[in-house]
Amino acid sequence: MKRSVLLALSIPFAFSAPASADDMKQEVSKIASAYMDCFSKQDPACIAALFTKDGFIVNPAGKHEITAYYGGTFKAGMNKLEATVDEVWQIDNDTPGAMGKFRVTGKNDKGEPMDSAGTWTAAYVKEDGKWKPRMLTAAPTPPKKD
């Protein structure tokens, strides 16, 4: 009797347990790959579709709505994104977090090269049965001291 009660009590926990770190890293890597594909197409709506409905990006200039931010990024001449997924962890049972490196390149309106690199972090939530970033942060790598 005690075993059946304990088993019955443990079933909800088995089904609500967070994804393993390896599974979540694979999921985040798929999202990052799709993100880079959307970026190479210079499609802000494609990038926004990867985020939750209320998703946003935060960088040193402040908080930004996804579509407007990437519209400006592409208009400025940025056209290539490379990103890595270096680490994934659980913020809480329903919210995984991840971080990695990024490099964005392009050319300004004068044809001069632009290059920005740094570290990104993101918090993910499930929306419509899919993991999606709700908040993405991007911090540039500080300049090297001589």
Side-chain angles (χ1 to χ4, degrees), residues 116-139:
S116 178
T119 301
W120 65 267
T121 63
Y124 297 83
V125 297
K126 266 212 171 158
E127 185 175 88
D128 301 327
K130 293 182 176 182
W131 286 108
K132 294 184 171 193
R134 178 158 189 237
M135 180 180 79
L136 173 71
T137 64

Side-chain angles (χ1 to χ4, degrees), residues 1-11:
M1 174 71 174
K2 285 184 182 179
R3 282 187 191 172
S4 61
V5 170
L6 288 174
L7 179 60
L9 290 174
S10 67
I11 288 173

Side-chain angles (χ1 to χ4, degrees), residues 30-36 38 45-52 131-133:
K30 287 179 194 174
I31 295 167
S33 180
Y35 197 97
M36 288 184 282
C38 292
C46 180
I47 293 172
L50 298 171
F51 282 77
T52 60
W131 286 108
K132 294 184 171 193

Side-chain angles (χ1 to χ4, degrees), residues 10-146:
S10 67
I11 288 173
F13 296 108
F15 291 105
S16 65
S20 76
D22 287 339
D23 290 344
M24 198 61 220
K25 187 166 185 179
Q26 285 181 344
E27 193 66 30
V28 170
S29 294
K30 287 179 194 174
I31 295 167
S33 180
Y35 197 97
M36 288 184 282
D37 287 344
C38 292
F39 197 98
S40 68
K41 294 174 189 172
Q42 297 195 2
D43 188 344
C46 180
I47 293 172
L50 298 171
F51 282 77
T52 60
K53 291 174 186 83
D54 59 350
F56 58 94
I57 184 168
V58 177
N59 66 17
K63 178 182 171 185
H64 310 277
E65 186 270 331
I66 302 299
T67 306
Y69 178 80
Y70 283 103
T73 298
F74 299 139
K75 188 175 180 179
M78 295 300 211
N79 60 16
K80 184 175 180 186
L81 168 67
E82 298 170 4
T84 63
V85 177
D86 299 337
E87 192 174 339
V88 176
W89 65 91
Q90 284 300 126
I91 296 170
D92 64 27
N93 286 340
D94 299 326
T95 312
M99 70 179 288
K101 302 282 189 254
F102 71 87
R103 172 173 237 103
V104 182
T105 57
K107 293 186 179 181
N108 66 18
D109 58 353
K110 297 176 185 171
E112 299 166 335
M114 296 186 299
D115 189 340
S116 178
T119 301
W120 65 267
T121 63
Y124 297 83
V125 297
K126 266 212 171 158
E127 185 175 88
D128 301 327
K130 293 182 176 182
W131 286 108
K132 294 184 171 193
R134 178 158 189 237
M135 180 180 79
L136 173 71
T137 64
T141 303
K144 293 181 182 181
K145 294 182 180 183
D146 294 331

